[in-house]
Each structure stands twice: as C-alpha cells, then as structure tokens.
Amino acid sequence: MAHLLIRLNLSDSLDLDEAEQAFEFQQLRMGYGTQPPLYNWLQWLLFSTFGLNLFALALLKSLCLFGIYFFMFLTARPLVGSMGAMAVSASMLLLPQIGWEAQRDLTHSALLTTIASMSLYAYFALLRQPTLARYALFGLLVGLGMQTKYNFVIFTMGLMFASLVVQPHRAFVWNRKIVVSIAVAVLCLLPHGLWVMQHFDTAAGGTIEQMKDESTADFLLNVLAGMRSLLMATVSFITPIWLIYLLACRPFFGKVDRTVRWRPSTEALFFLCLYAGYLGSIVIIVLSGEVTRVKDRWMQPMLFSAPLLFFLLLPGLAQPAVFRRIMKVTAFVAACFLIALPLRVYLGPSYERYVRAHHPYPALANELARRHPQVHEVVATDKLLAGNLHFQRPALHTLLLPRMLEERAALPEEGLLIMRAGEEPDWQPRFQAAYPDARISPAQRISLPYRYGGKEEMAFLVLPFMVPAASHR
C-alpha cells in the first residue's frame, strides 16, 4: 500500500521497465524480445481495465511486492513458527534488490520472485498433503514462473536437485503423481514455448550479450571473470541479511546470545541443497566461458529465501528478544527506503543528480502536439522514449526503430523520428537505408528543462518524415 501511494504521488515520467510496459501495451504479443510475456499480459489486463495510467502501472507492482512478503510468511510459518515467519517476511526488505530496486523500477524480476515464493509455498504444502490438486498447482506455478523471466529455469533446477537429494522429500515428490505437475507445467508453457522456438535468437540474444559483457578471447580469463562475478554477486546479495542478523544476536555488541545456536534440520538441509543446485547450475554456465558478468539482482530468484534458511539453521533468531531487534531494524530500513524514494525525485535536481523521473517527457509530448498536431505516428530509438510518449499521449502510436529494422516493418505514411540528442549517430542513416523512399525533413532540436527545478536541459532531435503513397502499394 505504501509503495502504491508513493508511486501515485511521484513523477509521471516513467522509468525504464515502466516505459516498456506502456509501450508494449499497444500490441498483445506471445513474446516480447528478451523478456517472457507474463508480466506484460497482466499489465495489459490492468491497463485495459483501469486505463493507461499510474494507478494501473503501480497496482501490479504493489501486488507483486505484497505477494513476496505474504507467501514467504505462509511458507515460513509451519517451519519456524509465526514469530519467525513474521521476521522472515519482514527481512525481505533487507535485500536491496527487493527493498529498494524492486520498488524503484524492476517489473519482471518482482513477478518472478512472487511466483518463486508461491512455488516454495506450494512445494511444502504438497509435502504436507500430496493431493493431485496440489501437484497440479505446483506444476501451474512452475509453468507460470518460466514465463516471468528465463532464469526461473535455474530456480526450477535447484528445486529439482534439492527434492532428489533430501530423502524424505524425494519419496513425496518423485512418484507417479509428479506427472500431473509436469503435464500442467508443459500445457501452461506451450504457447510461449512455441514462440521461443521460432524466435530463439530474439529471446536469448540480449540476455547472453549482457552476461558476456566483459568477455575476451581467452577462455580461462572468461571463466575466472565469471567465477569472480558470481562470487561477488552472491556475497553482496546475502551480506545485508547475515550482517544484520549477527548484530541482532549481539545486544550492544556484547557476547552472542547463547540461545541462538546452530541446529540443522531436514528443512535446512533442503534449502542448503536448493542453493547448491542454483550455484551449481550457474557454475556450469560460467564454465562454458560465455558468461563473464553476473549481476547481484540476477541472484534474486535464487537467494531471496536466504532469511528463511538462517532461521532454520538458527532457530534462536525467533526468540522474542532477537525477534524484536530484527523487526526494529527492518522497520528502520523500510522507513529509510520509503523516505528516500520521493526525496531522490524532489531533492535530486538541487544537487544536480538526475534520474529518469526528472526527464521532461510530459513537456516533450505537449511540444510535439503543438508543433505537429496532425502526426499520430512516432518512431523512437529506445523503449524509454517510446513508452513515455505513448503514456503521455495514448492517441500517439509509438514504434521502436531497432525492432522495425529487425522485422522490416512497414513505415507509416507520415510520422516523426525522434531520439535523444547525442545518441548513436548512425540512427538516421540506418533509418534512411532501411526506408529509402522516406522523405526526411531537417532535424528539429527541442531542449526542455529537467523536472522538479532542474537547471539543466535535456535535448531531443525530431525528424519529420513522409512516405509517398505509391511506396505503400
């Protein structure tokens, strides 16, 4: 609720992932490039219901964040008790990728973590009562998870590995009923899976390029860089959790509470094997020499349940004294995040620190309407620009130049080619080469001040174009 209220009262200039949703709303597709379609489908449904506005945009994100906390609580309660489950759920805020990044912009990753937490809940519910309905639910969640982000595959592999290694779980999970889970997952994934098979380069290409960002011709150097990046990403992700838990167990930095003791259990072994499965899968990928860069936020679907593992290994964390310390810290961190979100927007320009919320997209949309009232088609060079313009003027149909060049899409008879000043200099030549019949007018430069008192300006280049009617025949 707090995230929803804050987002509704902040800038209507969209961040990157938000702009992508506004842009993709123009056409319902089976696939959206490097990202699976589930979040886009859900956002399309909310936009169609409530209109293209901030409420519909923020509502889905808020539901995802609520789902993470809620299902982690439901998963943890039978394992560590109600008090421990409350602390586990609240501790999600201590993970910067969830407490900060997911509230700031991330969309697909937030939904992925929600589905992953629901899958863990369904998994342990299946262990408690292995009915066909619960096997079907587990399969449905796996199928949906595969359509949130493609690294959900690693989450699934870790889950399979842990369920096979932990003997009490193996008997319950791997029996004839698991066929129901597999069948439901395959049926759920089938439509998008067929699209991926037909557009594999489009779906996987961008992700692979990001993960080999610093690759060299030396195989060994690539492997070492990938291992180092994986280690740093893992450590940076879980450090806030273990550090705060350690401090919570040391009242006034004194002797560690004696009641907080290591106590392994079957459930703790499951999570240890789960993480071993995750990391083993990533290590295998890194050993290919193709992956040199692993971002900490990519670890989110694998390590988000780390607070629950700590509570399983150290049941004393749920004792009242330690519980109160953890809850106080999480409340303080939550307050800091909630205050920082609006402050970075309202105070940023005073310190010449600009974020995308300061970009003058509303003013740009108004200026385009004033200068070119007859134009209803815009070709933009990136999704941030295309999505924001469509969000500000829903009647304005925006197209993405890189996608048009890739798909050789038809050009509207009249429109505007627009880009940020100083962007890649060969966009215009590439546009002209792909559409030689287009008559491009000289570029118009539009400079607008940043929002919220920004003293600097952001410049855009606008190139009107026309295509003779004969070229469309």
Side-chain angles (χ1 to χ4, degrees):
M1 180 62 72
H3 170 268
L4 180 62
L5 293 176
I6 289 175
R7 186 63 191 93
L8 292 178
N9 288 280
L10 285 181
S11 171
D12 58 351
S13 290
L14 307 183
D15 215 319
L16 182 59
D17 283 9
E18 294 176 328
E20 178 187 44
Q21 296 306 313
F23 170 73
E24 299 293 4
F25 172 61
Q26 297 175 104
Q27 183 180 6
L28 192 62
R29 302 160 64 105
M30 290 306 300
Y32 296 89
T34 59
Q35 299 288 9
L38 185 57
Y39 196 98
N40 298 80
W41 292 344
L42 295 174
Q43 189 65 76
W44 183 90
L45 181 63
L46 289 181
F47 278 151
S48 300
T49 303
F50 299 106
L52 186 62
N53 52 51
L54 278 179
F55 174 75
L57 197 62
L59 178 61
L60 180 55
K61 171 71 75 63
S62 299
L63 290 174
C64 288
L65 294 174
F66 173 77
I68 295 171
Y69 304 125
F70 180 68
F71 283 100
M72 280 308 298
F73 172 81
L74 292 183
T75 302
R77 186 170 57 178
L79 305 179
V80 296
S82 296
M83 192 173 293
M86 289 176 61
V88 167
S89 179
S91 294
M92 294 292 105
L93 286 165
L94 302 178
L95 300 171
Q97 293 74 15
I98 296 176
W100 174 255
E101 292 293 339
Q103 297 196 60
R104 184 186 61 82
D105 184 36
L106 301 181
T107 53
H108 299 277
S109 295
L111 179 60
L112 181 151
T113 310
T114 303
I115 300 294
S117 62
M118 294 172 69
S119 299
L120 283 179
Y121 169 71
Y123 177 88
F124 283 102
L126 186 154
L127 292 177
R128 291 190 294 271
Q129 190 176 350
T131 63
L132 284 177
R134 295 192 176 191
Y135 277 93
L137 174 62
F138 180 67
L140 176 63
L141 290 172
V142 170
L144 292 175
M146 296 287 192
Q147 297 175 82
T148 56
K149 281 183 78 73
Y150 294 123
N151 57 352
F152 192 88
V153 174
I154 298 178
F155 172 83
T156 306
M157 293 176 68
L159 206 57
M160 291 172 58
F161 176 78
S163 64
L164 285 168
V165 171
V166 181
Q167 196 279 330
H169 291 199
R170 184 168 63 246
F172 280 95
V173 176
W174 295 99
N175 53 55
R176 286 180 295 180
K177 292 181 182 179
I178 196 63
V179 175
V180 175
S181 298
I182 296 173
V184 172
V186 170
L187 288 174
C188 179
L189 186 59
L190 187 60
H192 178 62
L194 293 175
W195 181 91
V196 171
M197 293 174 63
Q198 297 171 359
H199 304 84
F200 183 78
D201 290 341
T202 301
T207 301
I208 294 174
E209 287 302 315
Q210 288 182 16
M211 298 181 75
K212 58 192 296 187
D213 185 54
E214 301 173 359
S215 63
T216 67
D218 191 310
F219 171 80
L220 183 58
L221 288 179
N222 288 345
V223 171
L224 291 176
M227 289 295 188
R228 176 182 178 276
S229 182
L230 173 60
L231 178 62
M232 295 300 294
T234 303
V235 171
S236 64
F237 191 94
I238 64 173
T239 291
I241 292 293
W242 69 258
L243 185 59
I244 290 173
Y245 284 0
L246 176 63
L247 296 178
C249 295
R250 297 178 65 91
F252 305 105
F253 300 94
K255 186 176 181 180
V256 175
D257 288 5
R258 294 181 179 179
T259 51
V260 181
R261 296 172 181 170
W262 177 276
R263 192 179 305 168
S265 62
T266 300
E267 290 76 17
L269 176 62
F270 166 80
F271 278 96
L272 289 173
C273 292
L274 184 68
Y275 292 164
Y278 295 156
L279 296 177
S281 301
I282 300 175
V283 166
I284 291 174
I285 297 173
V286 170
L287 288 176
S288 69
E290 294 294 320
V291 175
T292 59
R293 183 186 183 194
V294 179
K295 295 182 179 179
D296 55 0
R297 62 184 173 88
W298 293 346
M299 307 304 293
Q300 181 174 319
M302 278 72 82
L303 302 179
F304 73 95
S305 57
L308 179 53
L309 172 60
F310 281 110
F311 271 78
L312 288 170
L313 291 174
L314 302 169
L317 289 173
Q319 65 174 303
V322 180
F323 168 79
R324 285 193 294 270
R325 295 177 206 132
I326 292 175
M327 295 302 289
K328 287 178 182 178
V329 172
T330 55
F332 175 76
V333 171
C336 289
F337 284 156
L338 293 177
I339 293 172
L341 281 170
L343 284 184
R344 76 185 188 112
V345 175
Y346 294 126
L347 299 182
S350 301
Y351 299 93
E352 298 184 353
R353 298 181 65 88
Y354 298 102
V355 295
R356 292 175 181 132
H358 299 123
H359 290 188
Y361 295 118
L364 175 62
N366 292 333
E367 185 66 15
L368 293 178
R370 186 185 68 81
R371 295 192 185 192
H372 307 279
Q374 79 287 357
V375 174
H376 299 286
E377 303 276 352
V378 168
V379 178
T381 55
D382 61 66
K383 286 185 180 180
L384 184 64
L385 188 52
N388 270 284
L389 288 176
H390 181 63
F391 185 78
Q392 298 298 330
R393 288 182 59 196
L396 192 67
H397 182 229
T398 57
L399 302 166
L400 189 63
L401 181 56
R403 183 180 292 178
M404 293 182 67
L405 296 177
E406 179 183 349
E407 299 176 354
R408 297 297 178 185
L411 199 64
E413 292 186 8
E414 182 179 13
L416 303 172
L417 174 62
I418 182 167
M419 66 192 77
R420 285 188 58 178
E423 268 193 337
E424 185 178 349
D426 66 343
W427 277 127
Q428 183 177 348
R430 291 173 63 187
F431 178 83
Q432 189 71 76
Y435 303 99
D437 296 328
R439 299 173 182 174
I440 304 177
S441 301
Q444 305 170 5
R445 185 183 180 91
I446 300 178
S447 297
L448 300 166
Y450 283 100
R451 307 182 70 184
Y452 299 97
K455 297 179 181 179
E456 299 181 20
E457 292 186 336
M458 189 174 186
F460 303 89
L461 295 180
V462 180
L463 295 84
F465 66 84
M466 296 186 65
V467 180
S471 301
H472 288 271
R473 296 175 184 173

